[in-house]
């Protein structure tokens, strides 16, 4: 409802009908013909020859309707007696007083451009827009709620950043000056651009709500990439250099972020983003010409443009809203209610429990957010370059120890993929992975248990126990970061299998693909867990629900497919050695919490209703079975098997605790021994759940404290040109270790090892040479250990704990003790302790998998990595165990292993196929 | 039913898990000592640490480098000033040969402990210091130990006793010195957890700390790092020095005395139980088994004057029922003082010599430094404690030298005179294991030096 116009100013208006569909022309001409304010002339603009032919037979107020190929041509043809041009889309249907209101109110406001209020064509009571605000990135923001009714709430003439191109009145002289709309842009972006350029010349842009135009919603917007390209071009045209300096990079990043997040919301934005930027790159010269034209004669600066812009990013708001909506939809009804009416229902238990759990996760990971992953056990910071690490994973060089061509662990490739999606920020990627691992673990457990009849609250508590309970703390306490991530995925793998298998075959195929992808991702984080979902599902069929046999059956092909995702690592791994690696498996869980878990499980099993009792039985078997597996060390299994058993026990503990809480709820109101037993089980479960708070104080998600990074602080400024030999007990050394007469040691890069160094390959020539050198040192054949270790690029020796090596290195003539450090440290006096050095003594810097340094024509550089003929540039020579290559290019690198590269590409393709089929099947569900 | 099945399965699994045997805990890992003293001259790289040495305006220090293979020897003389770089020199030894290096040609700064690194072997080094009133020295040490024993010290009137702790390594060492005398244990609290800076040395003047003890033995226990200790004894007329030793139940001393010097074997027992020691003497003509026996109480060193059980110059073998340390110390007999010279110091009696023994006989011996000192008489001492006659080849480590063959009767000691400044050292080859040492004496004093066995 708008107030009627009062008087007709003596102005002359030319109507420019923007033609997109010639079939709409009669309708728009009729609407224009009904206008109270009579236009002087009507011209159809654009639409090429079809439009031209269509208007040939049309007339308006007795005069033939003209045609012009573009607004620019129209402007040139309009004589000075015309004061304004009313630009209106052919699909728009202006109300009879629309033009009059624009002319009168626009003139009263002395506006250069006046726009109409747009209402839905088929629901005229609902608003489409009443003027447009933008953010600094030119993204339009109408500020209306979905389906917002027009109740006159916005009916005031006001300045706006822009008006829609569906109906706008523009002064002819202004249009002549700024050159009309930019035809290369999407229509929405072009309208914003037109208004911005007008404002740059000092013209006011107002919305006249009394000018009402009915419009089909969604019209006037071109393909997403075109609109995005137009927005970029608009920004490039109008902003000053200072604004552009920060707007353009942010625009780039925002688009990339959207491209990354959008697939999780069911749409693709990457290609639009890439196409938009590519288009702008292609048309940059034209944009620069337009920029000169737009900014020439400007009377205001960027501050004026900012005036009607909203703060922040419209796109980010939309993404957040969509994510929020998704999350709400994922929660069960009771939880969704809590989200939807958070203010009113804040005290709902599920919300409180959710907040407490979120707080525990946030506090329990705060150190990782602030300082990154500790270097302890198999937890290490991610490498600086995600792309380089991904190349190393796909057939490149394994940098652990003295290097090896053996494939890296899948977690390295997985982490580097995540790192690339966060703009190659290793710290952010590691933090995200950790937090997501915990959050997904909790969420997944809640959903898994809910499918088995356990309420959300009990499930969330069970999830907390999964990621921070006693078994998981035993895993994370050893620094098994990647297994921590795998545990976060494990309940999703189980849930994907046990959900009902729908009849349509596309849906089944999608589920199978989804299950395979989830198991594959879990196994990428911890390969020994590959068979765990299958085993646990088999147990569930046995003790929980015989009808769930399709879940276990589906897990078989899914596991096989998932194994395919582990190439190239799985193709080269020595399974026997893998399972026996490390100290013998013998987990000794804390007696109190282990007993509490067992008692809780037994009490619930006895007292709870059948569905809950069976969940408890399943959990009990997992706890007991996992504990059994984790203690098989006497028969050969080592660290990996212990971790496997602990992971199984972790999911079992989560189920027992979830069932324990549920049992209390289910027996409330009942009497007798069952209630008492359920309460007893609940209390025992609560004790286990309370123990999860133990991760809060340290704030490292249960991971060990970082003793090593501070101990290696002395090497921070050394650019990694030398290595460090770490000696000490195995549990104080990072990642894999080697042994010499029972004493453990390992070689790492400086200033601290990264994740790609965690797992070493089989010993090669260099490793054997190092072993021999150390043997010579400990047997006293040399007292110049520094000299003996220099050929391996080892400059420092750090004693990480009690080790017989300490005494050995203290008795060396060329190993200087460094005082004031956290751990006993010796530095070599040998002059050539570098990883790469030329014959002339120039030191090259490792930027793995490449070494770089000053080029020496005809020179040679020795690369202290295990000898391999793929090192180059040619000619390559083997220097004992190391490599000597040409120094002529100033760079030495190792060529890719074609087989490994193909396998990695195959795995990546398989993952994409699985995800695509999963998505497709979900759509067909 | 399923509840029962679940419970039964869980119980069985828990029971099996509980009953699983625990893997054997890892054993404590201890690397063998770098090399247990005494060290052999082996065919490999080696380092020899010479705690004794002095080179200044009056005294000349000769480092003898003997090798059976062509090697390069790197001499390092740490500076007494903290942070100052050591003086380093390289010498080639075109083995089998011996090279005598005048340390004064490298640096003259008084006390000059040093170490010699050979890049091959078998090789060894010894040090000799000569001057107007000085002829002293001994072999250098090629092995390290956490516990060293030094016997034969004395702080009686007229003598000075210095314990030198040489730390050639960069890391500071921490040691505790404990003493024992003929009066029992000697507390040395000031030398508990005593710091010895890296690449430096410390001299502990024991005669000021524990004066007027006829016999003093010390044990040096290393808490951190490593040191090489030496006793330096001076009687005003001469000086003698010998390095620390390990413990053994057998000690052989090819040389115990010279003309004008009275030899004594000093035995110390750092253990907890008394040790009975039998003494065998070996003359040029044959063995005198069990010439005497002595019980050595823990913490109380025993001095056996050789002249008290045999009148001639002999070699000696000790056979103990427990590990002991032992050295031979020989002192010049006091000359008759002019009756009208009441100011003369009676302690300036005469030359002083001392060295450690050999824990076991060997087939080959390197006698670095033998024959290197100009103007003194040098003798090699060859001891055959077996019941067999042994053929021995003696060869000066000089390109032009002609080997000399001789026989050692069963249970005998043989004195083999060599010239003055004729070679930098000698190699002794025997068909059966023997023990070898050397001595030198002249107007300026006397010295004993043990040989170094050549290993495989």
């Amino acid at each position: 409802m708008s107030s009627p116009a009062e008087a007709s100013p003596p102005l002359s208006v030319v109507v420019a009908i923007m033609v997109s569909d010639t079939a709409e022309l009669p309708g728009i001409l009729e609407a224009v013909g009904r206008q109270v304010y009579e236009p002087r002339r009507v011209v159809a603009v654009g639409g090429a020859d079809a439009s031209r032919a269509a208007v040939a037979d049309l007339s308006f107020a007795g005069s033939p309707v003209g045609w012009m190929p573009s607004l620019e041509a129209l402007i040139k043809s309009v004589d000075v007696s015309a004061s304004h041009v009313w630009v209106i889309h052919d699909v728009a249907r202006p109300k009879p007083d629309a033009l009059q209101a624009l002319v009168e109110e626009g003139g009263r406001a002395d506006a250069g451009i006046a726009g109409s209020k747009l209402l839905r064509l088929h629901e005229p009571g609902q608003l489409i827009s009443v003027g447009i605000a933008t953010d600094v990135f030119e993204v339009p923001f109408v500020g209306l709620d979905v389906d917002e009714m027009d109740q006159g709430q916005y009916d005031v003439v006001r300045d706006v950043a822009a008006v829609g191109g569906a109906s706008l009145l523009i002064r002819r002289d202004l249009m002549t000056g700024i050159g009309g709309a930019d035809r290369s842009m999407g229509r929405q972006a072009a309208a914003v651009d037109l208004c911005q350029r007008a404002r740059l010349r000092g013209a006011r842009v107002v919305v006249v709500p009394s000018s009402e135009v009915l419009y089909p919603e969604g019209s006037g917007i071109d393909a997403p990439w075109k609109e995005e390209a137009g927005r970029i071009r608009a920004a490039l045209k109008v902003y000053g250099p200072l604004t552009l300096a920060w707007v353009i990079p942010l625009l780039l990043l925002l688009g990339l972020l959207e491209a990354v997040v959008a697939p999780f919301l069911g749409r693709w934005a990457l290609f639009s983003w890439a196409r938009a930027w590519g288009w702008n790159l292609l048309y940059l010269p034209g944009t620069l010409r337009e920029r000169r034209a737009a900014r020439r004669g400007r009377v205001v600066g960027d501050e004026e443009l900012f005036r009607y812009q909203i703060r922040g990013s419209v796109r980010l708001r939309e993404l957040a809203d969509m994510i929020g909506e998704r999350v709400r939809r994922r929660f069960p009804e009771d939880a969704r209610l809590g989200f939807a009416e958070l203010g009113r229902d804040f005290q709902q238990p599920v919300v409180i429990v959710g907040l407490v759990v979120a707080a525990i996760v946030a506090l329990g990971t705060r150190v990782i957010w602030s300082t990154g992953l500790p270097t302890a056990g198999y937890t290490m910071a991610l490498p600086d370059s995600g792309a380089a690490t991904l190349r190393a994973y796909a057939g490149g060089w394994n940098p652990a120890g003295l290097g090896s061509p053996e494939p890296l662990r899948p977690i390295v490739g997985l982490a580097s993929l995540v790192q690339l999606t966060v703009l190659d920020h290793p710290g952010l990627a590691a933090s995200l992975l950790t937090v997501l691992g915990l959050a997904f673990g909790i969420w997944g457990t809640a959903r898994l248990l809910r499918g088995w009849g356990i309420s959300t609250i009990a499930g969330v508590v069970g999830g907390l126990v999964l990621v921070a309970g006693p078994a998981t703390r035993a895993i994370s306490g050893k620094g098994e970061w990647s297994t921590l991530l795998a545990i976060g995925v494990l309940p999703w793998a189980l849930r994907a299998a046990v959900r009902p298998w729908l009849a349509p075959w596309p849906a089944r195929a999608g589920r199978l693909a989804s299950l395979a992808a989830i198991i594959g991702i879990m196994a990428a984080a911890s390969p020994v867990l590959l068979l765990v979902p299958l085993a646990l599902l088999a147990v569930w069929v046995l003790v929980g629900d015989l009808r769930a046999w399709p879940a276990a059956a589906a897990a078989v092909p899914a596991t096989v497919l998932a194994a395919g995702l582990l190439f190239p690592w799985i193709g080269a791994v020595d399974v026997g050695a893998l399972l026996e690696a490390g100290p013998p498996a013998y987990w000794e869980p804390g007696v109190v919490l282990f007993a509490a878990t067992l008692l809780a499980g037994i009490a619930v099993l006895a007292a709870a209703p059948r569905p809950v009792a069976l969940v408890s039985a399943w959990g009990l078997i997992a706890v007991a079975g996992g504990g059994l597996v984790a203690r098989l060390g006497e028969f050969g299994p080592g660290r990996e098997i212990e971790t496997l058993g602990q992971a199984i026990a972790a999911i079992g503990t989560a189920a027992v605790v979830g069932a324990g809480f549920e049992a209390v709820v289910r027996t409330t109101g009942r009497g007798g021994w069952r209630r008492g037993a359920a309460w007893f089980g609940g209390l025992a479960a609560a004790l286990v759940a309370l123990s999860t708070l133990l991760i809060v104080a340290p704030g490292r998600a249960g991971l060990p404290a970082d003793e090593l990074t501070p101990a290696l602080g002395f090497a921070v400024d050394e650019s990694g040109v030398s290595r460090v030999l770490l000696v000490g007990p195995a549990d104080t050394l990072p990642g894999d270790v080697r042994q010499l007469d029972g004493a453990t040691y390992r070689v790492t890069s400086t200033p601290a090892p990264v994740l790609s160094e965690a797992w070493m390959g089989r010993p090669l020539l260099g490793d054997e040479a190092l072993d021999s050198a150390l043997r010579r040192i400990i047997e006293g054949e040399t007292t110049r250990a520094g000299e003996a270790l220099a050929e391996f690029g080892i400059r420092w020796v750090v004693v990480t704990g009690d080790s017989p090596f300490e005494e050995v290195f203290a008795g060396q003539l060329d190993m200087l003790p460094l005082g004031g450090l956290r751990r006993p440290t010796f530095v070599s006096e040998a002059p050539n302790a570098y990883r790469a050095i030329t014959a002339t003594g120039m030191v090259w810097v490792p930027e793995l998998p490449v070494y770089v340094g000053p080029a020496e024509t005809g020179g040679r550089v020795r690369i202290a990595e295990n000898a391999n003929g793929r090192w180059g540039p040619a000619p390559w020579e083997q220097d004992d165990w190391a490599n000597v290559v040409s120094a002529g290019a100033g760079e030495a690198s190792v060529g890719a292993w074609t087989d490994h590269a193909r396998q990695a590409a195959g795995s990546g393709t398989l993952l994409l196929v699985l995800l695509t089929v999963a998505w497709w099947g979900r759509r067909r569900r | 039913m399923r509840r029962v099945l679940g419970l039964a399965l869980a119980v069985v699994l828990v029971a099996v898990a509980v009953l699983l045997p625990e893997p054997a805990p890892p054993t404590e890992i201890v690397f063998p000592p770098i090399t247990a003293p005494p060290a052999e001259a082996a065919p490999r790289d080696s380092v020899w640490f010479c705690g004794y040495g002095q080179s200044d305006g009056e005294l000349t220090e000769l480092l003898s480098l003997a090798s059976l293979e062509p090697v390069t020897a790197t001499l390092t003389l740490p500076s007494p000033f903290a942070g100052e770089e050591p003086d380093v020199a390289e010498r080639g030894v075109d083995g089998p040969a011996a090279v005598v290096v005048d340390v004064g040609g490298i640096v003259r700064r008084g006390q000059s402990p040093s170490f010699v690194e050979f890049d091959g072997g078998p090789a060894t080094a010894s040090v000799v210091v000569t001057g107007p009133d000085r002829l002293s020295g001994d072999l250098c040490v090629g092995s390290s130990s956490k516990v060293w024993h030094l016997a034969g010290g004395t702080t009686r009137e007229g003598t000075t006793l210095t314990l030198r702790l040489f730390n050639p390594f960069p890391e500071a060492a921490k040691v505790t010195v404990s003493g024992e005398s003929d009066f029992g244990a000697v507390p040395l609290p000031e030398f508990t957890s005593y710091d010895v800076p890296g690449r430096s040395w410390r001299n502990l003047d024991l005669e000021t700390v524990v004066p007027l003890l006829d016999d003093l033995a010390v044990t040096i226990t290393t808490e951190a790092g490593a040191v090489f200790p030496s006793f330096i004894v001076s009687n005003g007329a001469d000086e003698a020095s010998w390095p620390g030793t390990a413990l053994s139940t057998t000690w052989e001393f090819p040389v115990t005395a010279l003309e004008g010097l009275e030899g004594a074997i000093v035995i110390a027992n750092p253990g907890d139980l008394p040790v009975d020691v039998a003494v065998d003497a070996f003359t040029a003509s044959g063995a005198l088994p069990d010439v005497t026996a002595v019980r050595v109480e823990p913490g109380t060193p025993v001095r056996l004057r050789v002249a008290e059980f045999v009148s001639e110059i002999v070699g000696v073998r000790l056979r103990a029922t427990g590990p002991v340390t032992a050295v031979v110390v020989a002192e010049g007999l006091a000359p008759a003082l002019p009756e009208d010279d009441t100011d003369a110091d009676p302690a300036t009696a005469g030359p002083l010599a001392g060295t450690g023994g050999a824990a076991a006989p060997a087939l080959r011996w390197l006698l670095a430094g033998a024959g290197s000192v100009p103007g003194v008489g040098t003798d090699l001492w060859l001891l055959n404690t077996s019941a067999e006659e042994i053929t021995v080849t003696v060869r000066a480590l000089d390109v032009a030298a002609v080997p000399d063959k001789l026989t050692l009767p069963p249970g005998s000691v043989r004195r083999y005179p060599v010239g003055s400044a004729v070679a930098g050292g000698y190699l002794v080859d025997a068909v059966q294991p023997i023990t070898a040492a050397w001595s030198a004496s002249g107007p300026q004093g006397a010295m004993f030096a043990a040989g170094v066995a050549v290993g495989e």
Side-chain angles (χ1 to χ4, degrees), chain A residues 538-560:
Chain A
V539 173
W540 175 245
V541 171
L542 187 66
V543 301
D545 185 1
L546 278 176
R547 291 167 303 172
W549 68 266
V556 175
T559 303
V560 173

Side-chain angles (χ1 to χ4, degrees), chain B residues 117 134 245 249:
Chain B
E117 296 171 81
R134 185 79 56 87
T245 70
T249 54

